[in-house]
Amino acid sequence: MLTRRDLLGAGVLLVSAGCLGEGTDTGNGDRGTGPSFSSPAFTGGTSIPPKYTCDGEDVSPPLRLRGTPGTESLAVVVDDPDAPTDDPFVHWLLWNVPPDIEDIPEAIAPEPTVEALDGAVQGTNDFGDLGYRGPCPPADDEKHTYQFTVQLVDTILDLDPGTASETFRTTVEPHVRGEATITGTYER
């Protein structure tokens, strides 16, 4: 029997709305079809280039979204379920991305709002910083798997810039109508 860790390592994560593309949510009947989600920087399940990590420029990778009609906004969460914490360690929170946005460019600046994404909002990652911070596992750890998840949200979230992950997750959860995840790995 495959475990969640096996699926993550293979670049396939079955989450609420499916994997790496369209699917049907089997975990919450209120959620619908997931979007198509990818990155031109890496293929799901492969190593994340150092440019997007603490060993490189530490900038966010470019992301591609397709199939997001019928939603009010999108949210992007990047986390590390292999971190030695109770919950996955959050590397990036981005929400209120307009659903007609198909390409999130690389190197989103660590600012409260992202004008290039029509005022999308960024939260505080678990490093305590605003915006994206890339993979940076301890040098003596085994390879970590990083989850890049896009969520279809049925509202515009009324959260202040810099909101922390726990508050973000509690607020967004009842409004998620679909999601897709791609994974990448990194070790130092």
Side-chain angles (χ1 to χ4, degrees):
M1 176 179 203
L2 290 175
T3 66
R4 177 181 159 116
R5 188 182 226 32
D6 293 333
L7 292 171
L8 283 170
V12 178
L13 175 63
L14 300 173
V15 291
S16 302
C19 57
L20 300 181
E22 294 189 4
T24 302
D25 175 18
T26 58
N28 177 344
D30 292 342
R31 293 186 186 183
T33 301
S36 172
F37 187 43
S38 63
S39 176
F42 62 96
T43 303
T46 64
S47 182
I48 297 168
K51 176 179 185 176
Y52 307 107
T53 74
C54 67
D55 293 321
E57 296 176 36
D58 207 6
V59 296
S60 60
L63 301 172
R64 288 198 177 123
L65 312 162
R66 303 292 186 269
T68 61
T71 189
E72 289 296 316
S73 67
L74 306 172
V76 176
V77 178
V78 178
D79 61 27
D80 174 6
D82 294 329
T85 56
D86 290 338
D87 293 317
F89 190 88
V90 174
H91 287 258
W92 195 21
L93 296 172
L94 175 68
W95 65 87
N96 292 347
V97 177
D100 60 344
I101 296 285
E102 293 190 338
D103 294 293
I104 296 176
E106 78 174 15
I108 296 295
E111 297 174 355
T113 59
V114 182
E115 294 312 312
L117 299 175
D118 293 334
V121 181
Q122 295 192 88
T124 299
N125 58 48
D126 286 345
F127 291 100
D129 299 326
L130 185 70
Y132 177 87
R133 287 279 303 271
C136 197
D140 58 347
D141 269 17
E142 292 184 20
K143 185 184 312 182
H144 283 216
T145 299
Y146 296 85
Q147 302 174 135
F148 290 72
T149 302
V150 62
Q151 299 172 319
L152 303 178
V153 183
D154 69 5
T155 190
I156 301 297
L157 297 174
D158 185 20
L159 292 170
D160 293 330
T163 295
S165 61
E166 185 175 329
T167 300
F168 168 80
R169 288 183 197 270
T170 301
T171 303
V172 76
E173 181 58 31
H175 299 284
V176 175
R177 297 296 174 247
E179 60 187 27
T181 297
I182 56 174
T183 61
T185 61
Y186 194 69
E187 66 183 317
R188 300 173 74 206

